[in-house]
Amino acid sequence: PINMESTQEFKIDKPIINTAKENLNNEKKGYLAEKSPTSVLQNNKKEQKIIKVPKIPSYKIERIERLSGSFDQGKFYLTVDNNASSESLMLLCEDITRQFSEFSNIVICLYSSDSAGVYLANGYDDKVNLDQLKSSWLAMYTFNSVEGAYFDDNPTSYLGFNN
């Protein structure tokens, strides 16, 4: 897998609306004027905002379980960079769901790429303690066409932990 950061930064230049009259004219035209403390700057000045756009982190599919029967269920166990944001993990899950569209029901468990996470992803739960489980199980995602998607970025909370 390619090593990537979980977010990419972009700078966006945005002209500032500087008078109440311009705000009113834009609202009449169907535009919403942004109200901010910097809205009184001169026309030539620009406000710069940095927007972090989540992207799919590098990952490895450690194991897939295909359950036979009428449910066409696939269970995926992935390891991923521990520093990935929740938004990036959600994007990864959505991407896996699209890649494996032959399954009508999908369960995805995301673990850190450290040794405890690799053990968990490969089904060796007895090799890790509860603290390692808490820090290594990053997220769980389920999808089916009837109920839609469910994403939990604190999957050990039902064990009484809070990440």
Side-chain angles (χ1 to χ4, degrees):
I2 298 172
N3 239 349
M4 296 185 197
E5 295 177 32
S6 63
T7 58
Q8 187 174 7
E9 292 185 1
F10 295 96
K11 285 188 179 180
I12 297 176
D13 290 337
K14 181 178 179 186
I16 304 285
I17 299 172
N18 72 337
T19 66
K21 183 177 178 183
E22 287 177 8
N23 286 345
L24 184 59
N25 287 337
N26 284 331
E27 287 174 5
K28 285 180 182 175
K29 293 177 186 174
Y31 301 112
L32 292 177
E34 182 178 316
K35 295 176 181 159
S36 71
T38 57
S39 63
V40 292
L41 296 175
Q42 296 175 352
N43 277 340
N44 294 339
K45 293 194 177 185
K46 292 185 179 183
E47 177 181 345
Q48 283 194 339
K49 289 186 177 183
I50 295 176
I51 299 173
K52 292 190 174 197
V53 179
K55 62 182 183 178
I56 296 172
S58 60
Y59 66 97
K60 180 180 178 187
I61 298 175
E62 298 285 344
R63 177 169 58 119
I64 300 174
E65 292 179 0
R66 298 173 191 266
L67 295 152
S68 59
S70 60
F71 287 113
D72 295 324
Q73 186 173 16
K75 291 175 105 178
F76 295 79
Y77 302 88
L78 282 69
T79 53
V80 67
D81 179 20
N82 195 25
N83 295 324
S85 69
S86 290
E87 294 84 6
S88 295
L89 296 176
M90 179 73 170
L91 282 175
L92 171 59
C93 293
E94 290 169 345
D95 187 59
I96 295 292
T97 301
R98 278 190 296 278
Q99 285 182 46
F100 294 90
S101 59
E102 69 266 21
F103 295 108
S104 59
N105 293 284
I106 290 182
V107 176
I108 302 172
C109 292
L110 301 173
Y111 300 98
S112 61
S113 56
D114 60 13
S115 60
V118 172
Y119 280 137
L120 289 165
N122 284 291
Y124 300 115
D125 300 4
D126 58 335
K127 303 263 186 201
V128 299
N129 63 40
L130 288 178
D131 287 334
Q132 290 171 315
L133 173 64
K134 176 187 170 190
S135 64
S136 295
W137 191 5
L138 304 177
M140 186 181 82
Y141 174 90
T142 63
F143 177 82
N144 69 62
S145 57
V146 175
E147 296 171 344
Y150 170 77
F151 180 77
D152 184 354
D153 62 354
N154 188 11
T156 58
S157 65
Y158 74 94
L159 297 172
F161 294 125
N162 286 322
N163 285 347

